[in-house]
Amino acid sequence: MVRTFAAGLAAILATVLVPAAAPADPAHPTTATAGTAAPSPAAAGSTAPRVDDLGAGVVSAPVTGAAIDGGTLYLVTRGLQPAVVARYDLATRRVVGHAELPTGTGGWAAAVDHGAVYAGTYGVADIHRYDPTTDTATRLTGLGTDTYVFDLAAAPDGTLYAGTYPSGKLYAVDPDTGATSDLGQASPGQHYVRSVAVADDGTVYAGTGAAARLVAYDPATGQRREILPAELRGEAFVYDVAVTDDLIAVGTEPSGKLALIDRHDPGRYTIVDTGDRTVDAITIDGDSVYLTARTSGSVYRYRRGTGTLERLGTPVPQDETRGVFVSAGQLVGVAGSGEVWTLNPDTGATTVTDLVAAGMPAAAEPAQSVAVQDGRYAYVGGNFGLQVHDLAAGTSRRVRAFGEPKRIVPVGGRAYLGVYPGGFVDTYDPVTRTMARRGALGGGQNRPRAMTWLPDRGQLAIGSRSEYGTVGGAFTLYDVASDTAHRYDPVPGQAISAVTARGHVGYLGSEIAADGVPPTATEAQLAAVDLDTGRTRWRWTAVPGATGWSDLSAHGNRLYGLTSAGRLVVADPVDRLVLASYQLADAGGGQLFWRHGTLYGVTRNTLFRLTEAGPVTVVGGLGGGWFNEPQASYDPVADVVYTLRGTDLVRIRL
């Protein structure tokens, strides 16, 4: 029977390697509270740890928004504060001007109309106008309570149309006054308007997610029609859309389909399979439809006259493309990692320009992950980048990654990366300085949430969340020798967000969150899995009302866990008993680690340790600039831990 009971933490720590004593009062579990501040401060007279600042964790200039006007590209950064809109001259391959945006942390949406440049931001769904003649940017308007402007397009009469998240609405914006018209949800029940295009007759086309729909909207009548071919309605997104007088071209995710739809008779269409995951950028030039696709990063040409698809090249392998354009007979593309490429569609000749080297302002971005390898290299994951800190040389450099490294685990001289999107496992070799794609989780997995190394098995234990539009996730045992994945579903309808193991048992923590759709579960669970068979031994709601687990650690015969709401729990996994529970001040989760037999943890603001009296602050005021839950990496040889203070990587000497 699942129960909770009262027990002093001194008894808990004293019996780490022996069975737990019977409870004195099963009806009253021990529950300690840290109050409204950080955990209790360390005892007076204790020596404060030394904190070494190693500089910005990850520095970059990734791009999400891109638009073209003649020989000039306009680019909007991602994840930086302040966000930047920049002018890139195609002739000189230099950034020749830029301005900081007044609000937002980046911009997926960019458009040019009559010399004015518009950027739609996220963090807050604002639209800004950039004047390239003066290099100034001003806020034009905001779009309700939304947090993302995902796309912008200008109509022939100058009206701007914007698609948003999470309301999934289409907005019309007057570019002169900033007056907005809320046109409502583009497609009922869909929370993303991922792509927008406007035809010469003023018809607006909006592509949605997390269930793919294509809506044709007539501004004159307000009439809407859903025109996506039925074969594509199982896709998660209409990721991009382009339009001419007679043709609508749409690209989908996650099956990488290109659909060519007769604009005047949408019942006539052609569907082309690229063999990739996402058609992320499209442009139409006469008989040719050019498109880029992930995860390969390849560029394709579809010839309408012959009905043939050909791959023209892969300018930046495994990257995303934030815009593809035709300029002076060349294809021009913008890679999300922060590069501009050109490709001759007839010869395949390619140039690639690093935007930072070309003058793009770079800055520290929120970190995805952190890890230390052999005391020599510290890694910080970013957007399509991995910052490699050489601790011996005191240097730091950014390496292009094939996505967002959500987790990093050093194994055998390499760093293994759990990568989003697509749910991939990649490696980085610091000696050869090479990044390699090793394998995929498969099974519709998209977002790695937890990863740990099982040395006795030669496997990575990985928890993940499913594709957009799908609830659930998986627990995967990934063999590094064979690059094969063994996938299980221990908590149906929930993702796996925390993983640990002891012996032949894996202990997993779930989360109810799903990408793009409401959760179907109401409470997160713990689960035990037989690592030899994959069989789920038990599931347990250890913390009623918890929506997710941030980290787990099995030690002796105890299981230690931290929920995403900041509750630290000590449990007996055999009898499924909560032995002690503490509410931390930070509600954003964190990561646990062991030092000399004592449990430590890092949250956004605090490095703490667990004592008989409860959590005690070791270092406070971190204010870590994390994109995901806070992480820490402990080096037992040097007795130091690496984490973030602000956006800087710090080494804390314990």
Side-chain angles (χ1 to χ4, degrees), residues 105-258:
T105 56
W108 286 93
V112 182
D113 187 50
H114 294 91
V117 182
Y118 301 93
T121 61
Y122 67 88
V124 58
D126 284 347
I127 297 177
H128 302 81
R129 179 164 44 212
Y130 168 67
D131 183 347
T133 63
T134 61
D135 271 336
T136 56
T138 56
R139 180 181 179 273
L140 179 63
T141 190
L143 302 181
T145 59
D146 277 300
T147 53
Y148 279 72
V149 181
F150 261 122
D151 207 2
L152 276 175
D157 66 359
T159 302
L160 294 172
Y161 289 92
T164 65
Y165 167 85
S167 73
K169 288 183 177 180
L170 193 65
Y171 285 86
V173 179
D174 185 320
D176 296 322
T177 66
T180 65
S181 298
D182 182 342
L183 305 178
Q185 204 165 47
S187 179
Q190 302 313 308
H191 296 284
Y192 295 81
V193 174
R194 186 62 191 79
S195 51
V196 180
V198 185
D200 286 345
D201 66 359
T203 303
V204 182
Y205 296 92
T208 73
R213 302 290 184 265
L214 180 64
V215 177
Y217 170 75
D218 184 343
T221 65
Q223 181 184 3
R224 301 165 193 255
R225 293 181 298 149
E226 293 203 358
I227 60 173
L228 189 70
E231 298 95 313
L232 299 179
R233 289 172 67 90
E235 292 289 278
F237 284 97
V238 170
Y239 202 86
D240 198 25
V241 58
V243 62
T244 63
D245 180 62
D246 66 337
L247 179 69
I248 311 161
V250 302
T252 71
E253 180 185 277
S255 297
K257 299 295 196 298
L258 171 70

Side-chain angles (χ1 to χ4, degrees), residues 310-380:
E310 59 180 323
R311 188 178 69 85
L312 301 178
T314 309
V316 186
Q318 313 292 338
D319 215 320
E320 60 181 358
T321 306
R322 298 275 49 95
V324 63
F325 314 97
V326 176
S327 177
Q330 300 280 308
L331 289 178
V332 177
V334 179
S337 58
E339 286 138 323
V340 171
W341 52 262
T342 62
L343 185 149
N344 186 309
D346 298 320
T347 67
T350 303
T351 65
V352 179
T353 303
D354 180 270
L355 284 170
V356 174
M360 187 82 160
E365 61 172 293
Q368 304 277 345
S369 50
V370 66
V372 62
Q373 181 175 351
D374 302 327
R376 172 65 188 272
Y377 301 102
Y379 304 110
V380 182

Side-chain angles (χ1 to χ4, degrees), residues 506-603:
Y507 296 104
L508 316 175
S510 72
E511 63 180 357
I512 69 172
D515 286 327
V517 291
T520 56
T522 58
E523 293 179 311
Q525 293 185 312
L526 296 178
V529 173
D530 188 313
L531 297 177
D532 295 325
T533 66
R535 180 179 64 87
T536 300
R537 293 186 172 189
W538 50 255
R539 287 189 290 270
W540 173 32
T541 304
V543 180
T547 58
W549 290 90
S550 179
D551 199 20
L552 292 173
S553 180
H555 190 73
N557 60 0
R558 295 291 179 257
L559 182 63
Y560 300 79
L562 181 61
T563 72
S564 56
R567 181 161 291 277
L568 179 66
V569 171
V570 185
D572 178 342
V574 176
D575 294 327
R576 278 166 278 168
L577 305 171
V578 172
L579 306 178
S581 178
Y582 306 90
Q583 180 59 52
L584 305 179
D586 283 352
Q591 190 165 2
L592 307 173
F593 65 95
W594 288 89
R595 172 186 180 253
H596 301 164
T598 298
L599 183 75
Y600 284 71
V602 166
T603 64

Side-chain angles (χ1 to χ4, degrees), residues 457 459 475 477 486-490 503-506 528-538:
R457 307 179 65 87
Q459 294 176 321
F475 169 60
L477 292 173
H486 311 274
R487 195 174 53 256
Y488 308 98
D489 186 13
H504 295 279
V505 180
V529 173
D530 188 313
L531 297 177
D532 295 325
T533 66
R535 180 179 64 87
T536 300
R537 293 186 172 189
W538 50 255

Side-chain angles (χ1 to χ4, degrees), residues 40-67:
S40 304
S46 61
T47 302
R50 188 177 113 193
V51 181
D52 300 327
D53 193 316
L54 304 178
V58 54
V59 178
S60 65
V63 173
T64 42

